[in-house]
């Protein structure tokens, strides 16, 4: 029996970005509602796209979904949650402390860690307080990408330890009272997640090596914190319908190989297989048939041919054209950004290798907690690295204790150690490493594969608040941190490449990211439309329909968004 036939009251979907968590969770919510259940669908993803999936505006309160009786949805907005959290902490002190002291507390609550804590606070209220979801038979969570989800799920244990050990308000999140009153609620939320009778955790993946490995890691890490009530959805499984189509055969073979080599942690889980759809599952009607197990029809739906002229699919250059222009600058940083699962790591690796082949010294690295470049071979001009959060935390703690710590008495050192044990420290340490890596672009090229969109924005927005926080702990702000935003705003130094797929959600999320970057004074260098079928000749009916669907989104990028763009055709190496 699967989660669809023996549904627990709470269903929680997670997986690597871009594997179809939103489609799967939305389809589950629609399916349950059509069976007569009252369902509340909730997105905890900073880059939520429930609105686009259902074609209706969804706010922070339950919003009825048109055409699906019994289904409501809401988005947890981390930014709004953080503002409310800050006021809850700061409000009681406004008339008790001098304005300078209140301002100092607000600064401590302005970083990315506070946004994450506040989002979890809202999440815990929904799971741990039955009154918030009274009247619903099922609560379906569409979660943030895996790294974010695991971070949220691990916070209660981390904060419990911090409460037990801390004796003063030295924490970088401000007065401990802001969280102390929530301990019982957090404990209740974690108990609900681990209770097999109440919750099912559904891992979502595609038949791609990187996605399956990420799902396996998630499965083990969730089990380690007591969440073993897991199931598995393998989404986008493709079976060729036309044996004369070499692209279709290659796609089927690549997926089959990945599934055959599936990590053992996933093999024993109850599995639901979802075929690759000819079109994106947007709207209630498409979502209602999402789990249909019938093989795709061998007869394609009629597809109007793309007209010639200005409305036809634009002819775009390949990635080499962007690389050639970047290479002429001689040095700087290249950052690949975009929705998870669009191939940021793959594009980053190809750019780095192309620059190195031109004789430039290149460092290829990642800030993504789930990222790696195991398949990239370094060479005379190419080195490969990774910003390791654990190593950076250890380095940062040692650095602070060896500088600020030596000037304190025993009690002061104890307080500083408590401060450095908070979850916020990891964010600060990784941010410093990120800034130092960007700094290396002065003497060559640094190619950075960044975390998924939500984390990336939090990282960039946090620049000023982080150097205030570093100053509070270490009393000295490293020069790379101080200069980071100026460097990211310099188009001669920073080359931001927005990566997308020729599909609605990835394109629109990349457009939203471009707007956010613009507000921070950062202009992207160009866009890469990745894994496109448009440059290829296909005859398989499913691929023909997907190819026809791409044209409108490629035109949207070229006509409305991109200063320059490149098109990369589908190939058998999986997007990372």
């Amino acid at each position: 029996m699967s989660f669809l036939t023996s549904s627990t009251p709470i269903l929680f979907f997670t997986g690597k970005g871009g594997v179809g968590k939103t489609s799967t969770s939305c389809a589950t919510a629609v399916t349950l509602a059509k069976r007569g259940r009252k369902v509340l669908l909730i997105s905890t993803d900073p880059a939520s796209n429930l609105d686009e999936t259902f074609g209706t505006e969804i706010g922070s309160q339950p919003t009825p979904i048109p055409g699906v009786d019994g289904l409501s949805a809401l988005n947890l907005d981390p930014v709004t949650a953080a503002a409310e959290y800050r006021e809850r902490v700061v409000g009681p002190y406004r008339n008790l402390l001098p304005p300078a002291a209140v301002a100092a507390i607000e600064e401590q609550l302005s970083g990315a860690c506070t946004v994450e804590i506040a989002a979890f606070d809202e999440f815990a209220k929904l799971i741990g307080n039955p009154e918030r979801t009274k009247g619903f038979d099922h609560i379906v969570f569409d979660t943030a990408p895996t790294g974010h989800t695991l971070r949220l799920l691990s916070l209660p244990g981390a904060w419990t330890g911090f409460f037990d050990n801390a004796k003063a308000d030295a924490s970088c999140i401000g007065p401990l009272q802001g969280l102390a009153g929530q301990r019982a609620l957090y404990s209740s939320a974690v108990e609900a997640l681990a209770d097999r009778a109440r919750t099912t955790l559904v891992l979502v993946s595609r038949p791609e090596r990187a996605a399956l490995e990420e799902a396996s890691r998630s499965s083990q890490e969730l089990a380690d914190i007591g969440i073993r009530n897991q199931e598995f959805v393998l989404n986008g499984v493709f079976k060729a319908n036309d044996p004369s189509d070499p692209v279709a055969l290659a796609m089927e073979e690549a997926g089959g190989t990945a599934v055959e080599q599936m990590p053992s942690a996933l093999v024993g889980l109850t599995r639901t297989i979802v075929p690759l759809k000819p079109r994106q599952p947007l709207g209630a009607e498409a979502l209602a048939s999402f789990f249909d197990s019938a093989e795709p029809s061998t007869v394609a739906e009629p597809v109007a041919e793309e007209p010639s002229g200005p409305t036809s699919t634009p002819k775009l250059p390949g990635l080499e054209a962007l690389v050639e222009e970047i290479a002429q600058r001689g040095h700087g940083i290249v950052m690949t950004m975009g929705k998870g699962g669009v191939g940021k790591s793959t594009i980053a690796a190809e750019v780095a290798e192309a620059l190195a082949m031109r004789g430039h010294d290149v460092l290829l690295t990642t800030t993504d907690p789930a990222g790696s470049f195991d398949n990239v071979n370094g060479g005379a001009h190419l080195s490969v690295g990774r910003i390791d959060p654990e190593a950076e935390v250890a380095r940062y703690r040692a650095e602070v204790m060896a500088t600020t710590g030596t000037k304190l008495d025993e009690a002061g050192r104890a307080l500083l150690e408590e401060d450095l044990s908070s979850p916020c420290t990891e964010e600060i340490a990784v941010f410093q490493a990120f800034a130092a890596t960007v700094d290396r672009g002065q003497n060559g090229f640094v190619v950075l594969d960044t975390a998924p969109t939500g984390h990336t924005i939090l990282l960039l927005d946090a620049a000023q608040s982080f150097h205030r926080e570093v100053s509070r702990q270490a009393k000295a702000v490293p020069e790379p941190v101080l200069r980071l935003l100026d460097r990211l705003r310099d188009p001669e130094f920073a080359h931001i490449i927005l990566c997308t797929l020729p599909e609605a959600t990835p394109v629109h999320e990349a457009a939203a990211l471009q707007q956010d970057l613009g507000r921070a004074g950062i202009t992207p260098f160009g866009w890469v439309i990745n894994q496109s079928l448009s440059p290829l000749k296909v005859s398989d009916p499913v691929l023909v329909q997907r190819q026809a669907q791409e044209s409108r989104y490629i035109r949207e990028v070229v006509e409305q968004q991109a200063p320059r763009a490149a098109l990369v055709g589908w190939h058998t190496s999986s997007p990372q």
Side-chain angles (χ1 to χ4, degrees), residues 10-22:
I10 300 172
L11 289 160
F12 201 95
F13 292 82
T14 189
K16 181 178 172 67
V19 296
K21 293 187 303 296
T22 296

Side-chain angles (χ1 to χ4, degrees), residues 325-561:
E325 190 171 349
I326 292 171
Q328 292 174 8
R329 309 290 174 89
H331 72 284
I333 62 166
V334 181
M335 296 177 66
T336 54
M337 295 185 180
K339 176 181 169 66
V342 298
K344 295 186 301 294
S345 299
T346 302
I347 296 300
E350 292 180 5
V351 169
E353 290 173 335
L355 288 171
M357 288 181 63
R358 286 168 167 80
H360 296 282
D361 291 329
V362 182
L363 169 63
L364 171 63
T365 188
T366 180
T367 63
D368 190 338
S372 67
F373 293 108
D374 296 338
N375 295 327
V376 176
N377 296 319
H381 295 284
L382 176 60
S383 57
V384 179
R386 176 175 176 266
I387 296 176
D388 183 343
E390 291 186 9
E392 294 303 330
V393 167
R395 178 201 57 75
Y396 178 73
R397 285 176 178 161
E399 177 185 318
V400 173
M401 293 306 298
T403 53
T404 303
T406 59
K407 304 172 185 176
L408 302 175
D409 58 19
E410 185 175 347
R413 285 177 62 85
L415 284 173
L416 183 59
E417 286 178 346
E418 287 179 359
D419 202 7
L420 292 170
S421 71
S422 77
C424 306
T425 296
E426 179 179 316
E427 298 281 356
I428 298 167
V430 171
F431 186 81
Q432 273 201 358
F434 169 75
T437 301
V438 169
D439 193 56
R440 294 178 62 176
Q442 298 179 89
N443 302 312
F445 281 106
V446 174
V447 180
L448 281 156
D449 165 40
T450 64
T453 303
H455 256 177
T456 300
I457 289 300
L458 293 180
L459 188 67
L460 296 178
D461 282 352
Q464 294 178 346
S465 63
F466 264 89
H467 75 61
R468 285 194 296 266
E469 181 61 25
V470 172
S471 179
R472 185 183 65 80
Q473 287 184 335
K475 308 304 180 187
V477 182
E479 185 69 19
V481 175
L482 289 173
R483 299 187 60 185
L484 178 60
L485 274 180
D486 286 340
R487 284 179 171 149
L488 294 179
R489 290 168 175 157
D490 181 0
E492 295 298 316
F493 181 80
H495 312 94
I496 312 298
I497 296 177
L498 297 183
C499 301
T500 186
L501 302 178
E503 300 172 6
T505 298
V507 167
H508 296 161
E509 290 195 355
L513 172 56
Q514 181 164 262
Q515 290 180 342
D516 288 335
L517 291 170
R519 283 192 287 272
I522 300 169
T523 302
F525 173 76
W527 287 47
V528 171
I529 304 170
N530 193 29
Q531 294 292 93
S532 173
L533 292 171
S534 293
L536 308 177
K537 184 177 181 180
V538 295
S539 56
D540 186 277
V542 171
L543 300 188
V544 167
Q545 292 179 70
R546 292 184 70 89
Q547 185 183 61
Q549 181 180 254
E550 291 184 358
S551 179
R552 60 176 293 190
Y553 301 113
I554 295 173
R555 289 200 304 268
E556 183 176 333
V557 169
V558 173
E559 296 170 3
Q560 301 178 29
Q561 304 296 342

Side-chain angles (χ1 to χ4, degrees), residues 4 11 13 23-35 37 39-41 54 68-72 140 291:
L4 288 168
L11 289 160
F13 292 82
S23 296
T24 305
S25 59
C26 290
T28 299
V30 169
T31 299
L32 293 174
K34 286 186 175 294
R35 292 174 182 170
R37 301 301 186 96
V39 182
L40 178 60
L41 173 65
F54 285 106
V68 188
D69 292 340
L71 175 59
S72 296
V140 178
F291 292 108

Side-chain angles (χ1 to χ4, degrees), residues 161-186:
F162 190 72
F163 291 144
D164 293 342
N165 294 322
K167 306 300 181 186
D169 63 352
S171 168
C172 64
I173 62 162
L176 291 179
Q177 293 91 322
L179 285 174
Q182 309 296 314
R183 292 182 68 183
L185 182 65
Y186 289 176

